[in-house]
Amino acid sequence: MAADSIRLLDLVGDFVTGQVDSKATDVANGCVADFRLSLTSSESQTRGRGVQLLSQVLEECYTSLSEREVEVLVAFYENRLKDHYAITPHVLHGLKALAKCTVLPKGSAVSILKSLFQDVHVQSHGLANEFDCIPNHAELKGLGPDFVFGFVQAVDGERDPRNLLLAFQIARNIIHRGYNLSQFTEELFEVTSCYFPIDFTPVCRILTSFPSFLLPLIIEKLDSDMQNAKVDSLQTLAACASVYGHKELSDFLPSLWSSIRREVFQTASESVESAGLSALRALTSCLCRSVLTSNSEDSLHVFLDLVLKDCQHHLCEPDLKLVWPSAKLLQAASGASYRASLIVTAVVLPTLLEQYSSRTQCAQRRTLLEVVQGFIQPTASSWPAEGEETVLQPFRKSLCSVVFSALAESNASLQITAAKVLTKLGQQPGVLAQPDVEMAVDHLSRLVLEEHDAKVSLAVAECAGSLSRLHPAPFASRMIPKLKQEIFSGSSKPNVSYRCIMALASVSTQPSLVRESAPVLLQMLAAAHTGMSCCRIFSVEEVVSVCCSLQRIADQTPNTEEMGHFFHDVVIPRLLTLSLHAALQGENESGHSSPLIEEAVLSAIVPVINTACAALQTELATTMAAQAVYLFLDGDVSFLPENDCPSKIQLLRSQSWTQSQLVCLLMACVCSLPHSVDIPEFDRLLGQLEELSCTSTHPFSYTSAAKCFAGLINKRAAGQTLDGVLEKTLRRISVTLDNQSSAQRIQAFNLLVWMTKALLLRYHPLSAVLTDKVFSLMSDCLLASQAADCFELLMSDSPDVLNRSCHADVRIMYRQRFFAENSGKIVQGFNCAEQGKKSVYLKALSHIVNNLPRQVQLTELPSLLPVLLEALSCPDQVVQLSTLCCLQPALLDPPPALSTQLEALFSRLLPLTASPSMKVRIASLRCVHALSQLPEHMVLPFRAQVLRALASPLDDKKRLVRKEAVLARGEWWVFGNTLTATTM
């Protein structure tokens, strides 16, 4: 026992003398009685270390103390608060530990608090330390105003952000837990509101509890010249309105409205305007929640009368600038609730409709119609509840009359606005009756057929698409027949035909409409193929437009079993039939060549089939795979309509390019199907695709075959079967590429590139071998340029195969992985290459870097900057453009390494502003523009040189180049003049 006592004294001694702080935990396991020597020492430092040790001991063992022990310790610590100021932090630490005791005697919490208020200077020791000592006991409420007064004194003048956060939390608890503030209400508000709006969010939660003080403060702050103060005040007002009622706001409503109106009317800041409109919406919403009694006036009506009185008359002046601020204020108030919307629209809409009828100028009518558009779109808050009619119901006929009148005008901007208003009207149930919808369809049909303005056509297409979702029947019975009649009429012009084709796609939003529109487009393809149309011969461009519309229909059609069957049974077989007929017939007796043998048309058919097949359900997808494979392998045409094709045709072995190029349609059918679909005759199919891709002399045929081969192996399950196929194909490719005299080297290289991409996307181990093979070809005399260009294909998304929409196996971050594994090889090759061959490596690197995510570019730019600067000197315009496109976004947030390369950068950029390529000139000007944003001391030495170089592009023959030159030179000119003025 004596030995334990001696050891404990040694531990205390070690701590008190400052030798070892870690002894506190060991002491906690002993007895605190032996602290007496250090706690009663005449040296303040020794007493402080003793109190510190005792406090740390209490932190370890406060749970084991009895009530009597806690009482004694509280008395001791309260007495120590009168000791030397250096001891106070350790005393606070001990009180904090005691405050956690569950056996804290009654009255101790109040006693601790009074001692803190009396004996501790808060700003000397930190509010956080002091108030962490305050136990969360209900008995503190018994102090009433004394507690509030002490807290106010403690907080007053506090500057430490950490202490302020704690102070705000305590103030909020004081308010929300119902402490008696008595005569200190205003003082509590003052000590917290002085931080507004410096630290907006925490303060706001407290200030909302003092409406009688806060609202005048907000009105005062809105008179400030600081935009941040205005925004914070308006946001605070919006926050208050969400918790206040009419009683708190009523006395201040006129002043608040006056301040909000002034800010929206006069401000040039979008943030202030937005905050003002949000505050008005919140105030109106608050008043909507007020309960009406028989003896009280409707506060919402009173407030909205103020708003209407000050804003409504400006709507009668569409030429003046206050029409839009007034409209925005009224729309904000209207969007607060359904009841507010009823009140506002009942007054505003008749005024607007009357003004529209009385005005004759199209510009004024357009402005009024745009204002109307803002009132007819309900917000989430103002949407009618179930059983309530829309607020527009009383004005339905008048609104339709105005819209139809505007659609009948010849002014394009008025027609566009009217189409947008019609779209909004159609989205609200019950506004458009059946006759109104039919009238709208007739107007839209007329505009499609007669209006030549591209913007009007686009607005009409969007409106028709929106209305057709809700009202498909009138479009099926009225618009589609008119469009079909126009397309096949002898007088139809190409421009009208394009608009009709686009409109057919726009309205095909429901299965019933797709069944009407798609056959019309397929009929156009049939007429273009046969050349036997009663009207005229359709151009290749029109046929491509038809295919694009079919693809759009397939993309926007609901993915249902019904639509799956329609595309599987009707659209895809018809496209295959027409393409097959065109390939087999060549030219007919009249010398007509079907446009369906054109590469542009087949390339447009591919995404139609791609999109449709990718959405097929499993059963239909399996059937589609079998039909497509046996059609191309065995010539099985039994599933095609108008089955008059020769049987047993060998499309993949045909010597005719018109037939072999149809392999692109096989690719569209089988490479877009999900992984779960089993492809029949897989090995035989791959063999014939390999043969076609290696032996065909038709570029479109062998490229499509290689893409189909790649699409299939990308999804094939890993294993020996796949590895065997890949190794066999790679051996054939290598033999062909190694034979410099082979006439099939281009075909073999093309297959190599697509195989590499297919395996690279799925992280197949063989992808590294294939990539190295591509790198080796960068020194090949004939294939070096193509090898460099292929990195653009490897790193970019392919639109028709090997993408996620086609269910390809694409691993995340494959680009970053490819860059990390291969960028060093390119840089090494660049450094080792002869001067005349360096451009090949620069081109490859620029393609890779340009396709990396922007954040990765910024990270890697410092190490690659010397090589990229060298690429700007490369005579190849493709390299120049790719490098510039990579540099321009990086220059907006340049790395520190750029500061040492500015001279080299300017010396290479400025000559490119006179490049023969327009795209290079534009990209270089954008880079020069971005450099003007760098710190002044870095770019000021180059200002005169830049301004001289930018003088020539100002007279460029291309408008887009002149536009970029004006922007860039303006920034450099303003930058120099501003700096000179600042210096003076």
Side-chain angles (χ1 to χ4, degrees):
M1 187 68 182
D4 291 340
S5 179
I6 293 172
R7 179 176 176 274
L8 182 60
L9 286 172
D10 290 340
L11 292 174
V12 173
D14 289 344
F15 184 92
V16 171
T17 57
Q19 294 180 19
V20 187
D21 284 350
S22 62
K23 299 299 183 180
T25 304
D26 298 331
V27 173
N29 298 320
C31 174
V32 299
D34 292 296
F35 282 90
R36 59 186 180 277
L37 295 177
S38 57
L39 295 178
T40 59
S41 172
S42 59
E43 295 293 332
S44 61
Q45 183 178 0
T46 303
R47 293 198 308 277
R49 292 289 287 177
V51 173
Q52 181 183 2
L53 177 58
L54 177 59
S55 297
Q56 292 186 14
V57 169
L58 291 177
E59 185 69 31
E60 298 288 337
C61 63
Y62 68 87
T63 55
S64 60
L65 296 175
S66 66
E67 182 176 343
R68 175 57 183 163
E69 290 171 335
V70 172
E71 183 179 359
V72 171
L73 287 169
V74 167
F76 167 75
Y77 273 103
E78 288 178 355
N79 183 265
R80 289 300 92 196
L81 287 174
K82 299 179 175 65
D83 204 338
H84 194 275
Y85 69 90
I87 302 176
T88 304
H90 309 311
V91 176
L92 295 176
H93 185 196
L95 287 173
K96 180 180 178 181
L98 292 173
K100 299 176 185 178
C101 293
T102 57
V103 293
L104 189 68
K106 185 177 180 181
S108 295
V110 173
S111 176
I112 292 173
L113 191 62
K114 287 182 177 180
S115 297
L116 290 173
F117 286 150
Q118 179 179 344
D119 299 322
V120 179
H121 185 258
V122 176
Q123 276 69 34
S124 300
H125 301 284
L127 186 84
N129 286 330
E130 176 175 353
F131 280 93
D132 269 352
C133 302
I134 302 177
N136 186 17
H137 280 264
E139 63 186 67
L140 294 181
K141 291 180 66 175
L143 286 174
D146 291 341
F147 174 75
V148 178
F149 177 71
F151 173 75
V152 168
Q153 282 189 316
V155 174
D156 192 16
E158 182 59 56
R159 296 180 180 181
D160 190 319
R162 296 166 298 177
N163 294 341
L164 285 173
L165 288 174
L166 178 60
F168 296 150
Q169 179 183 349
I170 295 172
R172 190 182 182 194
N173 291 338
I174 289 173
I175 296 165
H176 289 185
R177 293 175 182 175
Y179 281 67
N180 181 13
L181 304 182
S182 187
Q183 69 270 29
F184 300 114
T185 303
E186 185 171 357
E187 283 75 8
L188 181 59
F189 176 79
E190 290 294 337
V191 296
T192 52
S193 66
C194 66
Y195 300 101
F196 175 81
I198 297 172
D199 194 349
F200 161 68
T201 305
V203 179
C204 176
R205 298 169 181 167
I206 304 167
L207 300 186
T208 53
S209 303
F210 304 96
S212 59
F213 299 114
L214 175 59
L215 295 176
L217 175 65
I218 289 176
I219 296 170
E220 176 187 342
K221 294 291 184 181
L222 286 174
D223 291 331
S224 169
D225 293 331
M226 297 176 57
Q227 286 192 2
N228 288 342
K230 293 177 182 288
V231 172
D232 286 345
S233 298
L234 291 167
Q235 290 177 347
T236 303
L237 178 58
C240 293
S242 65
V243 296
Y244 286 172
H246 163 251
K247 181 180 178 181
E248 290 83 1
L249 293 173
S250 58
D251 293 339
F252 303 97
L253 285 175
S255 299
L256 290 172
W257 159 243
S258 178
S259 297
I260 292 173
R261 180 195 62 201
R262 182 186 67 245
E263 295 307 322
V264 176
F265 274 7
Q266 298 179 6
T267 186
S269 168
E270 291 185 6
S271 59
V272 173
E273 180 186 88
S274 176
L277 296 175
S278 297
L280 176 59
R281 189 178 300 110
L283 284 176
T284 309
S285 179
C286 172
L287 298 176
C288 292
R289 298 192 297 267
S290 60
V291 179
L292 295 177
T293 64
S294 57
N295 298 326
S296 64
E297 62 180 357
D298 187 348
S299 56
L300 177 62
H301 265 287
V302 174
F303 180 67
L304 291 180
D305 284 344
L306 282 175
V307 179
L308 289 165
K309 178 182 177 182
D310 290 339
C311 296
Q312 183 184 359
H313 63 280
H314 292 302
L315 302 181
C316 302
E317 302 165 339
D319 291 331
L320 302 182
K321 66 177 183 179
L322 289 181
V323 63
W324 279 113
S326 299
K328 291 176 180 179
L329 286 166
L330 289 168
Q331 289 163 7
S334 176
S337 71
Y338 177 70
R339 191 155 70 97
S341 182
L342 279 173
I343 297 171
V344 175
T345 54
V347 176
V348 171
L349 277 185
T351 301
L352 292 172
L353 296 175
E354 180 184 353
Q355 285 294 314
Y356 182 91
S357 301
S358 64
R359 303 284 176 169
T360 57
Q361 295 184 16
C362 289
Q364 295 174 336
R365 287 189 158 193
R366 184 195 66 213
T367 300
L368 291 166
L369 205 55
E370 288 173 346
V371 174
V372 168
Q373 181 183 347
F375 284 100
I376 63 177
Q377 178 60 41
T379 65
S381 302
S382 63
W383 194 271
E386 186 177 353
E388 294 177 333
E389 67 177 20
T390 172
V391 297
L392 302 179
Q393 191 62 34
F395 313 102
R396 183 179 59 80
K397 291 184 179 180
S398 300
L399 285 169
C400 290
S401 176
V402 166
V403 171
F404 295 152
S405 171
L407 289 173
E409 295 279 355
S410 58
N411 183 272
S413 60
L414 189 56
Q415 291 173 332
I416 292 171
T417 304
K420 293 178 180 178
V421 174
L422 181 58
T423 301
K424 300 296 183 185
L425 290 174
Q427 290 172 349
Q428 300 187 50
V431 175
L432 295 182
Q434 186 66 19
D436 299 325
V437 177
E438 294 175 354
M439 179 74 74
V441 172
D442 290 342
H443 276 287
L444 295 175
S445 301
R446 177 185 57 78
L447 289 172
V448 170
L449 299 176
E450 299 177 4
E451 184 53 55
H452 300 287
D453 188 283
K455 293 182 179 178
V456 174
S457 298
L458 181 60
V460 168
E462 291 176 352
C463 179
S466 177
L467 291 179
S468 64
R469 288 184 177 87
L470 301 172
H471 310 280
F475 285 90
S477 62
R478 302 175 81 90
M479 176 177 276
I480 293 178
K482 288 182 181 178
L483 299 180
K484 178 180 179 180
Q485 181 182 357
E486 178 64 27
I487 289 171
F488 293 105
S489 67
S491 60
S492 178
K493 297 180 180 180
N495 287 340
V496 179
S497 178
Y498 286 130
R499 295 199 299 271
C500 292
I501 293 168
M502 184 176 71
L504 284 172
S506 298
V507 302
S508 301
T509 55
Q510 296 289 350
S512 60
L513 290 169
V514 173
R515 290 186 176 277
E516 297 291 334
S517 62
V520 176
L521 296 172
L522 292 172
Q523 188 177 344
M524 282 190 70
L525 292 179
H529 162 60
T530 61
M532 303 295 289
S533 172
C534 62
C535 55
R536 58 183 175 84
I537 296 177
F538 292 102
S539 66
V540 171
E541 291 76 16
E542 287 177 280
V543 177
V544 170
S545 178
V546 170
C547 296
C548 292
S549 289
L550 282 171
Q551 192 274 333
R552 182 180 169 191
I553 292 172
D555 190 44
Q556 70 188 18
T557 299
N559 188 13
T560 62
E561 186 176 357
E562 176 189 0
M563 283 292 93
H565 275 288
F566 177 74
F567 278 94
H568 177 271
D569 299 340
V570 178
V571 177
I572 297 176
R574 187 61 175 156
L575 291 174
L576 292 174
T577 298
L578 291 173
S579 301
L580 186 57
H581 281 169
L584 292 174
Q585 78 173 29
E587 290 188 354
N588 59 22
E589 296 177 357
S590 63
H592 169 70
S593 178
S594 172
L596 270 70
I597 65 172
E598 298 290 335
E599 179 180 334
V601 174
L602 288 174
S603 297
I605 293 176
V606 166
V608 182
I609 300 177
N610 249 338
T611 306
C613 287
L616 291 176
Q617 287 78 17
T618 303
E619 183 179 351
L620 291 176
T622 303
T623 305
M624 185 75 258
Q627 291 173 340
V629 168
Y630 289 120
L631 169 64
F632 280 84
L633 287 180
D634 302 328
D636 183 358
V637 296
S638 58
F639 72 100
L640 298 179
E642 303 178 14
N643 187 7
D644 55 356
C645 299
S647 59
K648 306 300 181 181
I649 53 176
Q650 298 290 312
L651 294 175
L652 296 181
R653 295 180 175 179
S654 174
Q655 300 302 310
S656 170
W657 64 268
T658 61
Q659 296 179 31
S660 64
Q661 70 178 355
L662 294 184
V663 69
C664 69
L665 303 183
L666 171 64
M667 174 194 72
C669 289
V670 298
C671 292
S672 57
L673 300 174
H675 290 251
S676 58
V677 176
D678 185 43
I679 305 298
E681 302 288 343
F682 186 81
D683 293 337
R684 184 158 68 105
L685 178 61
L686 283 184
Q688 293 196 21
L689 288 171
E690 176 191 322
E691 184 68 21
L692 178 59
S693 63
C694 289
T695 59
S696 173
T697 58
H698 184 237
F700 185 56
S701 296
Y702 67 68
T703 300
S704 298
K707 290 162 75 173
C708 187
F709 184 94
L712 290 173
I713 63 172
N714 172 263
K715 299 179 186 178
R716 192 66 172 176
Q720 293 183 352
T721 303
L722 176 62
D723 292 342
V725 171
L726 295 176
E727 290 171 2
K728 180 178 73 70
T729 305
L730 181 57
R731 283 196 298 271
R732 178 173 184 173
I733 292 173
S734 299
V735 169
T736 305
L737 290 174
D738 293 342
N739 183 0
Q740 296 290 331
S741 61
S742 173
Q744 299 172 347
R745 293 188 79 219
I746 293 292
Q747 291 91 322
F749 172 74
N750 183 72
L751 180 57
L752 170 66
V753 172
W754 281 104
M755 277 183 62
T756 304
K757 184 175 180 68
L759 300 182
L760 168 67
L761 294 179
R762 61 180 285 181
Y763 290 173
H764 192 281
L766 193 59
S767 64
V769 177
L770 298 177
T771 303
D772 289 340
K773 185 67 177 178
V774 173
F775 276 121
S776 69
L777 294 174
M778 293 177 70
S779 58
D780 189 278
C781 297
L782 298 178
L783 296 177
S785 180
Q786 293 94 320
D789 284 332
C790 82
F791 287 98
E792 169 69 18
L793 187 150
L794 292 177
M795 296 293 285
S796 61
D797 291 326
S798 177
D800 50 5
V801 71
L802 295 178
N803 57 63
R804 288 185 172 87
S805 63
C806 293
H807 305 289
D809 187 356
V810 181
R811 304 299 175 88
I812 61 172
M813 300 178 69
Y814 78 90
R815 293 182 177 89
Q816 291 91 315
R817 176 174 175 172
F818 184 84
F819 173 81
E821 293 176 349
N822 298 291
S823 59
K825 299 176 184 177
I826 296 181
V827 174
Q828 182 180 2
F830 169 81
N831 293 329
C832 298
E834 300 175 5
Q835 189 62 36
K837 297 183 179 180
K838 286 182 179 291
S839 62
V840 175
Y841 294 93
L842 293 174
K843 182 186 291 188
L845 182 63
S846 65
H847 284 319
I848 294 174
V849 174
N850 200 39
N851 283 283
L852 289 173
R854 291 301 180 206
Q855 192 57 46
V856 179
Q857 287 181 351
L858 294 174
T859 304
E860 301 295 338
L861 186 61
S863 61
L864 297 176
L865 193 56
V867 182
L868 293 176
L869 290 176
E870 190 70 25
L872 293 178
S873 302
C874 178
D876 192 320
Q877 293 178 359
V878 175
V879 177
Q880 294 172 353
L881 181 60
S882 180
T883 305
L884 289 168
C885 292
C886 171
L887 279 175
Q888 193 261 335
L891 293 177
L892 298 175
D893 185 17
L898 184 66
S899 60
T900 61
Q901 301 284 345
L902 280 178
E903 186 172 353
L905 182 59
F906 277 107
S907 67
R908 289 163 172 78
L909 274 181
L910 295 179
L912 294 179
T913 61
S915 168
S917 168
M918 183 187 75
K919 292 183 178 180
V920 171
R921 296 200 301 275
I922 291 175
S924 61
L925 286 168
R926 288 175 177 168
C927 288
V928 173
H929 187 180
L931 287 170
S932 69
Q933 307 304 312
L934 295 181
E936 294 89 343
H937 69 278
M938 293 174 60
V939 294
L940 184 61
F942 305 98
R943 178 177 179 267
Q945 179 186 358
V946 171
L947 291 176
R948 284 195 301 271
L950 294 183
S952 178
L954 292 175
D955 295 326
D956 197 279
K957 60 183 179 180
K958 294 295 185 180
R959 181 183 61 83
L960 294 177
V961 177
R962 295 196 301 271
K963 177 183 175 183
E964 294 295 337
V966 168
L967 293 173
R969 197 169 191 269
E971 284 295 327
W972 278 91
W973 183 269
V974 171
F975 152 69
N977 288 343
T978 303
L979 189 61
T980 303
T982 304
T983 305
M984 294 175 62

